[in-house]
Amino acid sequence: MVTNLKVLCIKTVFNSDDSNKIDYKKGKVYQAEIIGDDILVEDESGDMCLAGLAVKEVVRLGIQEQRNGPWDDWFHAHFEFTGQ
């Protein structure tokens, strides 16, 4: 099941391959989708990109050690859900 929603970028994200390119701009609202246990967010190029793995998967992969919410720390540091 796909759930559509919007998220607000609270911290600008620069592209990991090109540090001059911005993927997400602080203060901008982006379209997002929850698919299964993951969340995808539309980036500046219009592509839907994986922005948050379910915490249980992040813990399983060894990316972080503790469960602290439905998605990983990176997602929570860069986005918040809007009421839109």
Side-chain angles (χ1 to χ4, degrees), residues 45-59:
S45 67
D47 294 331
M48 294 301 286
C49 300
L50 184 63
L53 293 169
V55 171
K56 63 184 176 185
E57 183 68 4
V58 175
V59 171

Side-chain angles (χ1 to χ4, degrees), residues 40-70:
L40 290 81
V41 178
E42 182 179 21
D43 67 10
E44 283 294 305
S45 67
D47 294 331
M48 294 301 286
C49 300
L50 184 63
L53 293 169
V55 171
K56 63 184 176 185
E57 183 68 4
V58 175
V59 171
R60 187 185 74 76
L61 293 171
I63 297 170
Q64 73 184 45
E65 295 179 9
Q66 298 178 354
R67 298 172 182 235
N68 66 345

Side-chain angles (χ1 to χ4, degrees), residues 2-3 7 30 33 35 54:
V2 176
T3 303
V7 293
Y30 292 93
E33 295 178 350
I35 301 176

